[in-house]
Amino acid sequence: MSDVSPAEVIDEAARRRTFAIISHPDAGKTTLTEKFLLYGGALGAEAGTVKAREGRRSATSDWMELEQQRGISITSTVLQFPYRDHVVNLLDTPGHRDFSEDTYRVLAAADAAVMVLDAAKGIEPQTLKLFEVCRDREIPILSFINKWDRPGLQPLELLDDIEEQLGLTPTPLSWPVGADTEFRGVLDQRSGDFVRFTRTARGSTMAPEEIVDPERALTEEGSLYEDAVDEVGLLEAVGSSYDEETFLAGVTTPVFFGSALTNFGVRLLLDAVVDLTPAPTPKPAQGGEPRPLDAPFSGFVFKVQANMDKAHRDRTAFFRVCSGRFERGMVVTHEASGKPLATKYVHTAFGTDRETLDQAWPGDIVGLVNANDVRIGDTIWIDEQVAYPPIPSFAPQHFAIARTTDTSRFKQFRSGVSQLDEEGVVQVLRDRDLGDQAPILAAVGPMQFEVATHRLENEFGAPVELSMTSYSVARQTDEASRAALRMMQGVDVLDRADGSMLALFESPYWLDRLVAERPELTLEPLIAGAS
Ligand code: G4P
């Protein structure tokens, strides 16, 4: 490794902001992402959102076709762009709660989240689910109330919704002046200014902003401005002011109003991401000791994805840099196997394209191409050994036996099933007697099965038939408890590829009784998934 001073690593880490956007489908996550890129200069000054969107949609892989048919986003992408003197890493998360385990893994690599709400809908079921995942990960959340250019709920109603449904105290940092077609701008609580926006055609360029002094605002905007000022006064009186400590602890959420489509409020939100969300901090290793940012390079893998698009039929393991400088070509140690790993082919996604990457710093996300033995949760390092804690799995609630309907494709079926397991598309469980003939696919949400069967058929040419089982709950168990559990009716014990074991139960009541009556059996709960 060429020389790098500790101060340089610390400086580069301090410039990074790594965050994810979560939202219910249709709230505007894609639009906001595109606008962030626009403000980050990554789309070029004039770049149209339409172009970016069409570009993205034409980059189809087989399972992206499925996304389009269902109108959902399954794959997560990583985008990096410069903003002010910072480097922003934006992690996209799937919007559907059936993929909340994937979201959980992505959030393991994020330092903060932006939660996008639709002004007309407030908290929606999948916002709630994804928020719970954020809460589990204890990361700070900024809230963006989007589509303020359209008819929506009252701002105070929306704040109540956040408070009541999420148990998160909203602290507005921007307050809308006007709404719907009369949305003029926002009172920026951080600067005290009234920021007035001007629309541009379809929001393809940044919205021109003007700071308007109170006197002029009163003359030009009249009651719209007066009402906003009154409301802000009211909020201050009830103590809804921004507080850094409670924000970082995930107890309060700064709220921003705007419209991603017309770019109103996008800059203020991006400024807040940079100014308020935390820079990378030293990550605790197994055993609890954090590895300093300026220690030699280390990172952990939070996502594995194959066949992302037809132009790149390969397998990419995404890792987050936790310490030191990563340089392309570096030979790192893969902690799980103890083997050296060459890193010649790495990339990041800059804007919407892949770009070869030469170096990365704490907080950055790197895609390692064709590192076939690397799994989700694995640690890689140089010089000084480190192991980061594994990313826990969610408790699956749906279990289906998979068989290929074309026995001549059995080999492809087997390798496809392993691939999906490694990516965490579904969890794969095997009966010791049946092995790969009839693996059980386990999912948090049933839509994971659709993705799995679609990919097995289209990417691996192995048509599959799934038979749903009556198991509904799983616990982690061990060899010592296995024999006793297998003797019981309505219980099965199956193996995972990593050597761990899951006990499946048809009846949660039966499980509860067992836990109470047979304390000698190992029945460890997993993280609760979608419900
Ligand atoms: P998602 O990724 O969260 O699923 O949402 P996406 O950005 O795709 O936005 C969903 C729809 O909401 C899109 O309309 C988008 O244009 C619209 N939208 C997003 N932000 C705003 C906003 O601030 N104001 C208004 N009025 N609309 C907004 P669509 O008709 O589904 O797609 P398109 O035809 O515009 O591409």
Side-chain angles (χ1 to χ4, degrees):
M1 180 178 163
S2 57
D3 282 345
V4 49
S5 73
E8 196 180 353
V9 181
I10 301 288
D11 276 0
E12 289 291 346
R15 291 174 59 210
R16 263 61 188 176
R17 293 295 180 274
T18 303
F19 73 104
I21 303 186
I22 59 165
S23 73
H24 188 95
D26 254 16
K29 185 173 53 144
T30 312
T31 312
L32 185 63
T33 302
E34 287 170 358
K35 299 315 175 73
F36 278 163
L37 292 178
L38 176 70
Y39 277 74
L43 287 180
E46 272 286 329
T49 54
V50 182
K51 194 166 140 241
R53 197 177 277 253
E54 278 169 2
R56 206 183 59 134
R57 286 194 179 151
S58 65
T60 51
S61 74
D62 297 322
W63 93 94
M64 284 179 185
E65 282 161 24
L66 179 71
E67 291 186 339
Q68 286 166 25
Q69 287 163 17
R70 301 291 308 248
I72 52 166
S73 162
I74 298 164
T75 49
S76 308
T77 45
V78 182
L79 302 170
Q80 186 184 67
F81 57 92
Y83 184 67
R84 298 189 348 216
D85 50 355
H86 286 76
V87 176
V88 176
N89 294 304
L90 197 173
L91 302 169
D92 189 14
T93 57
H96 197 284
R97 67 145 181 244
D98 280 11
F99 304 102
S100 53
E101 187 171 16
D102 194 32
T103 300
Y104 186 84
R105 292 188 286 249
V106 169
L107 291 176
D111 296 318
V114 169
M115 175 169 72
V116 182
L117 305 181
D118 183 326
K121 300 191 175 137
I123 306 291
E124 296 178 80
Q126 289 172 44
T127 340
L128 187 59
K129 192 69 228 167
L130 296 168
F131 164 74
E132 282 165 2
V133 176
C134 283
R135 179 148 53 193
D136 273 347
R137 294 236 64 105
E138 298 180 333
I139 56 175
I141 301 171
L142 299 175
S143 300
F144 183 67
I145 298 184
N146 189 30
K147 307 196 186 183
W148 206 253
D149 59 307
R150 286 208 316 209
L153 302 169
Q154 292 301 314
L156 290 170
E157 259 180 284
L158 286 156
L159 298 191
D160 281 348
D161 204 26
I162 294 175
E163 178 112 49
E164 274 165 27
Q165 293 212 50
L166 307 184
L168 200 57
T169 305
T171 58
L173 277 182
S174 81
W175 195 257
V177 174
D180 195 357
T181 50
E182 296 202 300
F183 183 28
R184 299 278 200 266
V186 295
L187 299 177
D188 175 7
Q189 304 293 90
R190 292 205 295 147
S191 65
D193 293 330
F194 168 42
V195 184
R196 191 160 61 183
F197 307 116
T198 307
R199 262 178 189 259
T200 64
R202 263 203 80 89
S204 60
T205 51
M206 293 184 210
E209 293 179 10
E210 187 190 4
I211 309 283
V212 183
D213 65 60
E215 212 171 305
R216 237 181 85 211
L218 202 56
T219 326
E220 293 172 12
E221 306 299 351
S223 64
L224 294 180
Y225 178 75
E226 257 178 329
D227 291 349
V229 170
D230 287 350
E231 283 163 344
V232 164
L234 208 71
L235 286 167
E236 277 165 6
V238 297
S240 304
S241 306
Y242 171 71
D243 173 64
E244 184 178 6
E245 199 182 318
T246 49
F247 161 58
L248 294 178
V251 175
T252 59
T253 178
V255 177
F256 297 81
F257 289 81
S259 153
L261 191 70
T262 57
N263 299 329
F264 287 16
V266 172
R267 179 188 63 82
L268 290 171
L269 180 64
L270 199 47
D271 280 342
V273 167
V274 164
D275 296 337
L276 309 182
T277 70
T281 51
K283 184 175 168 68
Q286 242 161 354
E289 276 302 297
R291 180 165 170 115
L293 293 172
D294 57 358
F297 162 75
S298 68
F300 76 98
V301 175
F302 64 96
K303 182 162 188 69
V304 171
Q305 206 163 52
N307 307 334
M308 284 168 70
D309 67 61
K310 279 177 180 157
H312 305 277
R313 278 231 176 261
D314 50 24
R315 178 183 184 280
T316 303
F318 290 96
F319 65 86
R320 171 180 159 129
V321 180
C322 299
S323 65
R325 174 167 66 173
F326 171 79
E327 280 176 73
R328 185 161 67 90
M330 209 176 224
V331 177
V332 301
T333 301
H334 175 224
E335 171 63 16
S337 64
K339 288 188 187 152
L341 195 68
T343 61
K344 192 166 165 202
Y345 300 104
V346 293
H347 66 81
T348 185
F350 178 76
T352 43
D353 292 321
R354 274 185 182 198
E355 203 166 80
T356 303
L357 166 131
D358 288 321
Q359 61 175 4
W361 304 92
D364 286 344
I365 309 298
V366 181
L368 191 56
V369 181
N370 286 340
N372 290 331
D373 295 330
V374 176
R375 307 270 183 274
I376 290 168
D378 285 0
T379 303
I380 52 177
W381 51 266
I382 61 162
D383 296 351
E384 287 167 25
Q385 193 264 345
V386 62
Y388 291 113
I391 303 177
S393 307
F394 272 31
Q397 293 173 345
H398 305 269
F399 304 87
I401 302 169
R403 285 193 179 82
T404 178
T405 51
D406 178 352
T407 46
S408 72
R409 306 292 294 171
F410 179 67
K411 253 173 75 179
Q412 288 79 357
F413 169 73
R414 192 170 56 188
S415 71
V417 166
S418 305
Q419 176 61 44
L420 298 184
D421 194 16
E422 285 170 20
E423 286 183 41
V425 171
V426 282
Q427 295 179 34
V428 177
L429 312 174
R430 291 180 181 83
D431 183 298
R432 281 184 202 169
D433 301 327
L434 295 174
D436 287 328
Q437 295 292 336
I440 291 199
L441 308 187
V444 175
M447 211 183 277
Q448 286 174 262
F449 290 142
E450 277 186 57
V451 177
T453 50
H454 186 90
R455 288 189 58 188
L456 284 169
E457 199 156 332
N458 290 280
E459 273 168 44
F460 297 90
V464 280
E465 187 179 65
L466 292 187
S467 342
M468 295 307 293
T469 71
S470 45
Y471 297 117
S472 64
V473 51
R475 289 290 171 95
Q476 196 141 9
T477 187
D478 58 15
E479 197 62 49
S481 307
R482 183 171 183 269
L485 289 167
R486 277 183 63 104
M487 301 286 286
M488 297 171 193
Q489 281 274 330
V491 184
D492 202 355
V493 181
L494 301 168
D495 295 336
R496 294 206 280 205
D498 65 2
S500 63
M501 268 168 247
L502 284 193
L504 310 190
F505 297 83
E506 288 180 2
S507 152
Y509 306 106
W510 176 236
L511 169 62
D512 287 347
R513 254 183 66 189
L514 265 189
V515 171
E517 292 173 9
R518 302 280 301 270
E520 78 281 9
L521 295 175
T522 303
L523 292 167
E524 297 291 332
L526 297 115
I527 298 178
S531 49

